[in-house]
Amino acid sequence: MGRNRPEPSAQSPGAVEEILDRENKRMADSLASKVTRLKSDSDFTSMTGLLTGSVKRFSTMARSGRDNRKLLCGMAVGLIVAFFILSYLLSRART
């Protein structure tokens, strides 16, 4: 009881504005962080769809016969390299 604290209604309008401004900035930063996270999740989902389609095409080609063995090996290596490049780029984009 030894302290004299002003009641919230007794604060100056400038102090209230400052408090509201700080809270607004904090909430805006939080929202920006959530938007960034959602964008990266969306990018990952679209990449997963792209890879799934590529794997289906690769499987279809693999069943078509042995004449395409060199092409299949090249595509397999290309898909693996593309996967590592994309995962590297996504990990860099998140940091």
Side-chain angles (χ1 to χ4, degrees):
M1 283 211 161
R3 292 183 174 175
N4 270 341
R5 284 190 185 165
E7 291 297 319
S9 60
Q11 289 182 349
S12 69
V16 172
E17 252 183 67
E18 183 180 331
I19 291 169
L20 290 175
D21 191 43
R22 264 190 271 136
E23 181 66 15
N24 191 29
K25 286 180 183 177
R26 185 189 65 78
M27 291 176 81
D29 290 342
S30 174
L31 182 61
S33 172
K34 289 176 184 176
V35 167
T36 301
R37 200 170 336 135
L38 284 173
K39 281 185 179 179
S40 67
D41 288 348
S42 175
D43 291 344
F44 184 73
T45 302
S46 66
M47 184 182 5
T48 302
L50 177 67
L51 288 175
T52 301
S54 297
V55 169
K56 285 181 183 177
R57 285 189 295 274
F58 181 77
S59 297
T60 302
M61 194 182 319
R63 281 185 254 123
S64 70
R66 296 183 181 197
D67 297 335
N68 299 327
R69 190 163 303 264
K70 285 183 183 178
L71 180 61
L72 290 175
C73 289
M75 284 191 61
V77 170
L79 286 173
I80 291 169
V81 168
F83 174 76
F84 283 112
I85 289 172
L86 290 173
S87 63
Y88 171 75
L89 291 174
L90 279 177
S91 68
R92 295 276 308 214
R94 289 184 184 169
T95 57

